[in-house]
């Protein structure tokens, strides 16, 4: 089963006077990863490089940030893959110490920085989420909201039109039981939606 990280974990290496400051952390998508990398540049304006790797399904990335091609981002990504992680960002801030490490030395440095940080990181099973949506009469909205709360679902969208539209996310492992309970309690008045209606603007 794929795993992610419980929280951010840091590790620092010094190799031939160069500092490699690594952080591994849970991260859902590339936009969030890029925002975090931008914040690292503000925090470390005199760094030589901020290299990073994101393993997050179709949004994965490997960025060398000026290091020789293939010596930073790709090796970092391979460490994440090897440990069967998902939804994880690894970043390494490098301060150049004046001694060139060569391609092999760089690959080892970036690989080690991430591997050492992951040794200290707490790994947790990754819960695959499912998004569900339905419409129902106004009189049943309170009941459905209570059912969602009891099931541990996260409400994402609500729109009030001729009917109430609700959209929520829930771990896949719990969705079948919740659907059965809603169908039973809804007594035929719940309409499941494949797509969020274009006309249904969120409240």
């Amino acid at each position: 089963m794929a795993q992610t990280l419980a929280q951010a974990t840091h590790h620092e290496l010094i190799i031939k006077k160069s500092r490699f400051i690594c952080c591994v952390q849970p991260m859902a998508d590339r936009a969030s990863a890029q925002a975090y990398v931008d914040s690292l540049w503000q925090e470390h304006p005199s760094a030589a490089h901020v290299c990073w790797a994101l393993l997050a399904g179709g949004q994965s990335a490997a960025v060398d940030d000026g290091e020789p091609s293939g010596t930073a981002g790709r090796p970092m990504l391979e460490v994440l893959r090897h440990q069967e992680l998902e939804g994880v960002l690894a970043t390494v801030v490098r301060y150049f110490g004046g001694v060139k490490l060569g391609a092999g030395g760089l690959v080892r440095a970036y690989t080690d920085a991430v591997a050492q940080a992951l040794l200290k990181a707490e790994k947790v099973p990754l819960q695959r989420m499912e998004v569900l949506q339905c419409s129902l009469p106004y009189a049943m909205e309170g009941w459905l909201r209570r059912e969602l709360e009891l099931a541990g679902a996260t409400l994402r969208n609500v729109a009030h039109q001729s009917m109430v539209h609700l959209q929520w996310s829930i771990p896949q492992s719990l969705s079948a039981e919740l659907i059965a309970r809603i169908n039973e309690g809804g007594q035929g008045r719940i309409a499941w939606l494949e797509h969020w209606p274009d006309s249904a603007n969120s409240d």
Side-chain angles (χ1 to χ4, degrees), residues 25-81:
Q25 63 188 304
M27 191 68 62
D29 54 51
R30 193 179 296 207
S32 305
Q34 187 65 63
Y36 180 73
V37 170
D38 292 346
S39 76
L40 283 178
W41 273 117
Q42 291 174 356
E43 196 179 328
H44 300 275
S46 57
H49 309 279
V50 178
C51 304
W52 56 283
L54 173 70
L55 197 54
Q59 301 203 40
S60 298
V63 179
D64 293 319
D65 189 46
E67 293 281 33
S69 179
T71 62
R74 181 62 57 186
M76 292 164 66
L77 189 66
E78 287 307 315
V79 176
L80 300 180
R81 278 213 178 102

Side-chain angles (χ1 to χ4, degrees), residues 42-189:
Q42 291 174 356
E43 196 179 328
H44 300 275
S46 57
H49 309 279
V50 178
C51 304
W52 56 283
L54 173 70
L55 197 54
Q59 301 203 40
S60 298
V63 179
D64 293 319
D65 189 46
E67 293 281 33
S69 179
T71 62
R74 181 62 57 186
M76 292 164 66
L77 189 66
E78 287 307 315
V79 176
L80 300 180
R81 278 213 178 102
H82 183 67
Q83 299 211 17
E84 296 185 358
L85 294 167
E86 178 67 27
V88 172
L89 171 69
T91 55
V92 175
V93 177
R94 182 189 181 192
Y95 285 90
F96 183 52
V99 180
K100 292 196 172 181
L101 302 182
L106 287 171
V107 169
R108 278 192 300 278
Y110 283 101
T111 299
D112 274 2
V114 176
Q116 295 291 329
L118 287 172
L119 279 177
K120 301 188 288 186
E122 182 189 348
K123 300 176 182 73
V124 292
L126 183 72
Q127 288 195 316
R128 301 246 174 231
M129 302 301 285
E130 188 169 353
V131 176
L132 298 168
Q133 48 215 1
C134 71
S135 64
L136 70 166
Y138 276 70
M140 301 184 72
E141 181 183 356
W143 164 78
L144 182 55
R145 282 176 178 264
R146 285 191 296 278
E147 288 290 340
L148 297 181
E149 195 175 328
L150 284 171
T154 303
L155 195 60
R156 293 160 58 111
N157 271 317
V158 182
H160 293 95
Q161 297 183 305
S162 56
M163 303 279 275
V164 182
H165 302 283
L166 280 90
Q167 181 189 70
W168 64 90
S169 57
I170 188 169
Q172 278 181 349
S173 57
L174 303 176
S175 66
E177 184 186 338
L178 176 61
I179 289 169
R181 208 160 63 238
I182 290 172
N183 282 337
E184 186 181 338
Q187 301 169 335
R189 289 180 290 172

